[in-house]
Amino acid sequence: MIVRDLQPMSVVENQGFRELLQLLEPRYTPEPQHYIQSQLFPAYAYQAQLATRQALASALTLSLSLDVWRGLSGITSGYLGVTCHFLTSDWQMRSALLACLPISSCRSENHVLSDFEEVCRSHGVSGRAFRVVADAFLATPTVKPCCLPGFLVSPLLANGQADDEEEVGNGDNLEDGNSNGHGDGGEEGEWEDSWEQTLGVCRVNCFSRCLDQCVREGLRSCPQISSTLAKAACFYNYITSAVPLEKLRQVFDGSGLMSGGSGNAPILTRDWAGQLKVLRRMLDSMEFLEEMSGPGELALDVSEKALLRELTDILEPFTEAWDMVHRDKQDDVQTDRHVSISLALPCVLGLRKHLSETSAPHCPSLVVGLSQTINCRLASILEDPLYITATTLDPQFKLTWSSNPDWHRQVLLEELTKHSSASNPLDPNTDLHSQAQSPASSPVTSLSRPCKLFSFIKQRPMTQAKSLEQELAVYLREEPTDEEALHYWQRKAIDFPLLAQVAKKTFTIPASGTVVESIFITAGRCLWPERGRVLPKNLETLIYLKANYRLLWT
C-alpha cells in the first residue's frame, strides 16, 4: 500500500491507521517504521535490481531515458531517474527504472554524471544504449504540466484552497522564471553543457515533452483567450455542483474525465489535453447544461462560445497526437506502455498541414504562434535520419508520408548502413541473439542432402543473402499494414534480417514520458513537505519500488 499509493512510511505509526488495521484484522501487527526503512524496503529494492539485471542481460537492444525532478522554488533537492527501455528475446518491449538518484545543490554535475555512469555499469548496460532520451532543459527545475490558461477545472483550485496551486496553475507561471524550459546560465548552464558533452550524438529529445512545450508557447501567444477560458471554468465548476450526477453522466462520464455532482468535486484534470476534452464535451452539450443549470451570469454568450469552439478545433489534432504518443497511459504502473518515435514525424507533418489549412477569425495569433513554435522545436524531425528511419520501418507508414521518396530512400539507406551490424562486424551493438536466430544456423535435415534416391526431385537453387538495398526495396513494395510494428518485425525478421536489426534499435526509443516522470509529478503533490524542509527519508527507494512494482508483485 505504501508503494502503490506513495504514502510516507510514517503512516504505519499513525494511531488511526493502526486502529483501522486492528478493526479489520486483530491478529495483525504492522511492522514499525524503522524496520520498513532499514530492512524491508532495501530488501525489496535488492530483489528488483536482481530481476532487472537478469532481464537486461538477455535484452536484444535497449535505450535509456533520463528524467530530472526538482523541487518548488527555493528547494534545491531533487532526483534523477534512469529508465531503461529494452526488447526481450521474444520481441516484447519492457521498461524498468534502473535507479532514482538524489541530487542537490551541493552535488556537482560531475558527481551526478558519475552516478549515472555507475548505474549503467552496475546494470550491464554501459555502452549498450542505442539512444538516451534526455531533454536539453534537464538542468532546470521540473517543468510543470501545461494547462489551458485560466481553465482550472477544480473548484478547490479556483477558490485558492489547494496548497499546490502554483504547481498546476494557469500555465502562464509554470516554469519558475525559466524561459522555454531552458536554464538562464550559471550553474544550470554548466550542468546542461556537461550532459551534452557526456551523452553526445546519442541524445534525443522526448517528443511528447516537445509537443507539450509547443502547445504551451502557442497558448501564450494568444492571451485574449484566458478570460474566456476562466469564465468557462467557472461555468463548469458551477454545473458540476448544481446539476445532479445522473444528468452529468450523460455529458462527461462517458469519456471518464470527471465524476462530479452534488457534493462531489470533479476529478482534477491537470494537463491541457484532458482539459480540452472537458471543454469540448461541455461545448457540445451546452444547451442541455444551460437548461439544467438555469440562466445565470456564468452562462457563455455567443461570441465566447464561438471563440472556445475555435480553440478546441485548432488544438484537436494536437490532442490526437498527444493521445497517440501516450497510448494506454495509466496510473497503474503494472502495465508496460511504450510508443516509439516512429509516430513523431507523421504527427509533425499532420500538425503543420492542419495549421496551414486552418482559418481562425477569433484567435489568429494562436495559429501563428503554434506554427512558429512547431517550426522552431519540431521541424528538425522532418530531416533527421533517425526519425525518417523509425517512421519508414513502421509498417503502417513506410514511405507513404514522403513527398520525395527517392531522397528519403537514399537517406534511409545511409542510416541503415550505419546501424546495420552486417556493415560493421566490429560494431559493439551487434546483436548476438539475432545472429543465433539467423536462418543459416538452423539444423539441416537429411532430406536436403543430394542423393541418387531423390535425383528425380528438382534441386532448389542456393539462396543468396539479400543486400540491405534489396531488403529495403522488397519491404517498400509491400503494402502498408496496421499490424503492430514489433509483431511485424518478429514475423519478418527472417525475410529482412538486416532491416530487423535496425528496427530492434529504433523502436526502443520512446516518444512519450516514462513511468517515473508521472510518479515524480504524483510525489510532488503527495509527499513534498512544506517549503524549506527536507524531503521524506528514503523517498528514492519508494519511487524506485513504485516504478518497478510489476517486477516484484505481479
Side-chain angles (χ1 to χ4, degrees):
M1 185 205 72
I2 291 175
V3 170
R4 288 296 300 274
D5 298 336
L6 279 180
Q7 294 291 328
M9 299 180 200
S10 59
V11 70
V12 298
E13 306 289 353
N14 294 343
Q15 184 65 27
F17 179 74
R18 287 181 171 268
E19 289 178 359
L20 175 62
L21 290 183
Q22 182 70 19
L23 178 66
L24 295 176
E25 178 50 79
R27 296 170 296 178
Y28 177 72
T29 302
E31 300 290 354
Q33 177 183 350
H34 70 84
Y35 175 78
I36 296 177
Q37 287 182 343
S38 62
Q39 300 292 328
L40 196 58
F41 271 29
Y44 282 153
Y46 179 70
Q47 293 175 32
Q49 290 170 358
L50 289 181
T52 302
R53 292 191 186 104
Q54 184 177 4
L56 292 178
S58 58
L60 296 179
T61 183
L62 57 91
S63 291
L64 298 174
S65 288
L66 302 180
D67 299 278
V68 168
W69 176 36
R70 294 294 184 96
L72 302 176
S73 301
I75 298 179
T76 56
S77 299
Y79 292 95
L80 169 69
V82 182
T83 304
C84 185
H85 315 274
F86 57 98
L87 197 62
T88 65
S89 57
D90 58 350
W91 285 78
Q92 298 297 312
M93 191 65 67
R94 295 286 182 262
S95 295
L97 181 64
L98 302 188
C100 183
L101 306 174
I103 55 176
S104 63
S105 59
C106 62
R107 289 184 63 80
S108 67
E109 64 276 5
N110 290 330
H111 284 110
V112 178
L113 283 170
S114 65
D115 289 343
F116 164 67
E117 293 170 354
E118 176 57 32
V119 169
C120 292
R121 282 194 298 269
S122 65
H123 286 83
V125 300
S126 183
R128 293 177 58 192
F130 177 61
R131 287 292 186 272
V132 178
V133 180
D135 293 325
F137 45 86
L138 266 177
T140 67
T142 302
V143 178
K144 304 171 185 70
C146 171
C147 300
L148 297 181
F151 193 76
L152 298 177
V153 298
S154 168
L156 291 179
L157 289 181
N159 296 331
Q161 298 176 10
D163 57 6
D164 61 346
E165 179 174 359
E166 182 179 350
E167 178 184 348
V168 296
N170 281 344
D172 295 328
N173 305 305
L174 291 178
E175 293 176 331
D176 290 337
N178 292 307
S179 174
N180 300 334
H182 295 274
D184 55 359
E187 181 180 344
E188 291 179 354
E190 296 174 2
W191 167 285
E192 183 176 326
D193 291 341
S194 297
W195 277 117
E196 293 292 332
Q197 294 172 7
T198 301
L199 301 178
V201 294
C202 72
R203 186 190 68 82
V204 295
N205 287 329
C206 177
F207 175 70
S208 68
R209 295 182 198 133
C210 291
L211 181 64
D212 186 87
Q213 198 71 7
C214 287
V215 174
R216 184 195 306 271
E217 295 175 13
L219 290 171
R220 285 177 173 172
S221 67
C222 188
Q224 65 267 29
I225 65 176
S226 297
S227 59
T228 306
L229 281 169
K231 186 175 180 180
C234 292
F235 178 76
Y236 170 87
N237 289 325
Y238 171 71
I239 61 174
T240 53
S241 60
V243 178
L245 180 59
E246 59 272 12
K247 298 290 186 181
L248 287 175
R249 283 177 176 167
Q250 301 178 30
V251 178
F252 296 105
D253 214 36
S255 63
L257 291 172
M258 63 160 286
S259 57
S262 301
N264 296 313
I267 295 175
L268 179 60
T269 304
R270 291 183 174 272
D271 61 58
W272 61 271
Q275 293 172 353
L276 201 67
K277 293 174 185 176
V278 171
L279 181 61
R280 176 174 286 278
R281 283 191 165 268
M282 188 171 70
L283 291 172
D284 290 342
S285 305
M286 186 59 72
E287 293 182 4
F288 171 77
L289 293 174
E290 288 176 342
E291 181 181 349
M292 289 293 100
S293 61
E297 297 180 357
L298 296 178
L300 301 172
D301 60 33
V302 176
S303 61
E304 290 169 334
K305 294 176 185 177
L307 186 148
L308 293 176
R309 191 165 292 280
E310 186 173 282
L311 171 68
T312 58
D313 290 341
I314 293 173
L315 291 180
E316 183 177 11
F318 288 84
T319 307
E320 293 174 353
W322 182 265
D323 289 342
M324 289 179 67
V325 298
H326 290 83
R327 182 180 58 206
D328 297 330
K329 183 175 182 180
Q330 303 291 339
D331 290 334
D332 187 358
V333 296
Q334 295 184 63
T335 305
D336 276 315
R337 49 180 173 81
H338 182 95
V339 179
S340 78
I341 59 169
S342 65
L343 286 176
L345 189 151
C347 283
V348 176
L349 288 174
L351 293 175
R352 293 182 71 178
K353 182 177 185 295
H354 163 70
L355 292 174
S356 66
E357 298 173 350
T358 297
S359 174
H362 296 283
C363 43
S365 59
L366 177 61
V367 175
V368 174
L370 289 170
S371 299
Q372 291 176 346
T373 189
I374 284 180
N375 289 333
C376 176
R377 292 190 175 275
L378 297 178
S380 59
I381 288 177
L382 303 178
E383 298 180 358
D384 192 317
L386 178 64
Y387 287 89
I388 293 173
T389 301
T391 302
T392 307
L393 291 182
D394 192 325
Q396 67 176 316
F397 298 119
K398 298 196 174 182
L399 280 178
T400 55
W401 52 272
S402 174
S403 59
N404 190 351
D406 292 336
W407 181 77
H408 283 123
R409 189 180 287 107
Q410 185 60 37
V411 172
L412 184 63
L413 272 175
E414 294 176 1
E415 188 73 2
L416 290 170
T417 302
K418 182 168 63 175
H419 296 303
S420 172
S421 61
S423 64
N424 183 9
L426 298 180
D427 187 347
N429 288 323
T430 298
D431 187 358
L432 299 180
H433 290 273
S434 64
Q435 295 176 355
Q437 296 173 1
S438 173
S441 63
S442 301
V444 179
T445 67
S446 59
L447 296 180
S448 64
R449 299 171 187 151
C451 60
K452 292 184 179 180
L453 178 61
F454 298 129
S455 60
F456 64 93
I457 297 178
K458 187 176 181 180
Q459 295 296 316
R460 291 175 297 179
M462 294 295 294
T463 301
Q464 294 183 351
K466 295 187 181 72
S467 67
L468 189 58
E469 190 170 1
Q470 290 172 327
E471 282 191 17
L472 181 60
V474 176
Y475 166 73
L476 293 177
R477 279 199 298 268
E478 293 183 353
E479 288 295 324
T481 174
D482 292 333
E483 185 178 2
E484 202 277 328
L486 289 179
H487 184 271
Y488 173 89
W489 284 108
Q490 181 183 22
R491 185 171 56 85
K492 288 286 191 175
I494 295 179
D495 298 330
F496 307 122
L498 300 180
L499 294 182
Q501 289 179 15
V502 184
K504 292 173 187 174
K505 300 175 182 178
T506 56
F507 286 116
T508 61
I509 309 174
S512 62
T514 63
V515 169
V516 72
E517 182 184 33
S518 61
I519 293 175
F520 280 162
I521 296 174
T522 303
R525 295 198 306 267
C526 299
L527 293 179
W528 201 277
E530 298 177 1
R531 294 176 184 271
R533 293 176 56 191
V534 296
L535 290 169
K537 187 177 180 180
N538 289 352
L539 180 55
E540 64 270 22
T541 305
L542 185 61
I543 294 173
Y544 176 79
L545 290 175
K546 180 172 175 61
N548 293 323
Y549 184 88
R550 67 184 306 275
L551 290 173
L552 291 174
W553 287 289
T554 60

CSV table of all heavy atoms in Angstrom, one decimal, residues 23 25 87 89 142 160 185 229 270 418 539 545:
chain,number,residue,atom,x,y,z
A,23,LEU,N,-9.2,-3.2,13.6
A,23,LEU,CA,-10.6,-3.5,13.4
A,23,LEU,C,-10.7,-4.5,12.2
A,23,LEU,O,-11.5,-5.4,12.3
A,23,LEU,CB,-11.3,-2.2,13.0
A,23,LEU,CG,-12.8,-2.3,12.6
A,23,LEU,CD1,-13.6,-2.7,13.8
A,23,LEU,CD2,-13.3,-1.0,12.1
A,25,GLU,N,-8.3,-6.7,11.0
A,25,GLU,CA,-7.6,-8.0,11.3
A,25,GLU,C,-6.9,-7.8,12.7
A,25,GLU,O,-5.7,-7.4,12.7
A,25,GLU,CB,-6.6,-8.3,10.2
A,25,GLU,CG,-5.8,-9.6,10.5
A,25,GLU,CD,-6.7,-10.8,10.8
A,25,GLU,OE1,-7.3,-11.3,9.9
A,25,GLU,OE2,-6.8,-11.1,12.0
A,87,LEU,N,14.2,-4.5,-25.4
A,87,LEU,CA,13.5,-5.5,-26.2
A,87,LEU,C,13.9,-6.9,-25.7
A,87,LEU,O,15.1,-7.2,-25.7
A,87,LEU,CB,13.8,-5.3,-27.7
A,87,LEU,CG,12.8,-6.0,-28.7
A,87,LEU,CD1,11.4,-5.4,-28.5
A,87,LEU,CD2,13.3,-5.8,-30.1
A,89,SER,N,14.0,-11.2,-25.7
A,89,SER,CA,14.3,-12.2,-26.8
A,89,SER,C,13.1,-12.6,-27.6
A,89,SER,O,13.2,-13.1,-28.7
A,89,SER,CB,15.0,-13.4,-26.2
A,89,SER,OG,14.1,-14.0,-25.2
A,142,THR,N,11.8,21.1,-12.5
A,142,THR,CA,10.8,20.4,-13.2
A,142,THR,C,9.8,21.3,-13.9
A,142,THR,O,9.2,22.2,-13.2
A,142,THR,CB,10.0,19.4,-12.2
A,142,THR,OG1,11.0,18.6,-11.6
A,142,THR,CG2,9.0,18.6,-13.0
A,160,GLY,N,-8.7,28.9,-4.6
A,160,GLY,CA,-7.4,29.2,-3.9
A,160,GLY,C,-7.2,28.4,-2.7
A,160,GLY,O,-6.4,28.7,-1.8
A,185,GLY,N,21.7,30.2,-17.6
A,185,GLY,CA,23.1,30.3,-17.4
A,185,GLY,C,23.6,29.9,-16.0
A,185,GLY,O,22.9,29.2,-15.3
A,229,LEU,N,-11.6,31.5,-21.1
A,229,LEU,CA,-11.4,30.1,-20.5
A,229,LEU,C,-11.7,30.2,-19.0
A,229,LEU,O,-12.3,29.2,-18.5
A,229,LEU,CB,-10.0,29.7,-20.8
A,229,LEU,CG,-9.7,29.1,-22.2
A,229,LEU,CD1,-8.2,28.9,-22.3
A,229,LEU,CD2,-10.4,27.8,-22.4
A,270,ARG,N,-5.2,17.7,-15.0
A,270,ARG,CA,-4.0,18.5,-14.8
A,270,ARG,C,-3.2,18.9,-16.0
A,270,ARG,O,-2.2,19.5,-15.9
A,270,ARG,CB,-3.1,17.8,-13.8
A,270,ARG,CG,-3.7,17.7,-12.4
A,270,ARG,CD,-2.7,17.0,-11.5
A,270,ARG,NE,-3.2,17.0,-10.1
A,270,ARG,CZ,-2.9,18.0,-9.3
A,270,ARG,NH1,-2.2,19.0,-9.6
A,270,ARG,NH2,-3.4,17.9,-8.0
A,418,LYS,N,24.6,2.5,-41.6
A,418,LYS,CA,25.4,3.0,-40.4
A,418,LYS,C,25.1,2.1,-39.2
A,418,LYS,O,25.9,1.8,-38.4
A,418,LYS,CB,25.1,4.4,-40.1
A,418,LYS,CG,25.9,5.0,-38.9
A,418,LYS,CD,25.7,6.5,-38.9
A,418,LYS,CE,24.3,6.9,-38.7
A,418,LYS,NZ,24.2,8.4,-38.5
A,539,LEU,N,12.8,8.4,0.1
A,539,LEU,CA,11.9,8.7,-1.0
A,539,LEU,C,12.4,8.0,-2.3
A,539,LEU,O,11.6,7.5,-3.1
A,539,LEU,CB,11.6,10.2,-1.2
A,539,LEU,CG,10.6,10.6,-2.3
A,539,LEU,CD1,9.3,9.9,-2.1
A,539,LEU,CD2,10.5,12.1,-2.3
A,545,LEU,N,10.7,1.6,-6.1
A,545,LEU,CA,9.8,0.4,-6.0
A,545,LEU,C,8.5,0.6,-6.7
A,545,LEU,O,7.9,-0.4,-7.2
A,545,LEU,CB,9.6,0.1,-4.5
A,545,LEU,CG,10.8,-0.5,-3.7
A,545,LEU,CD1,10.5,-0.6,-2.3
A,545,LEU,CD2,11.3,-1.8,-4.3
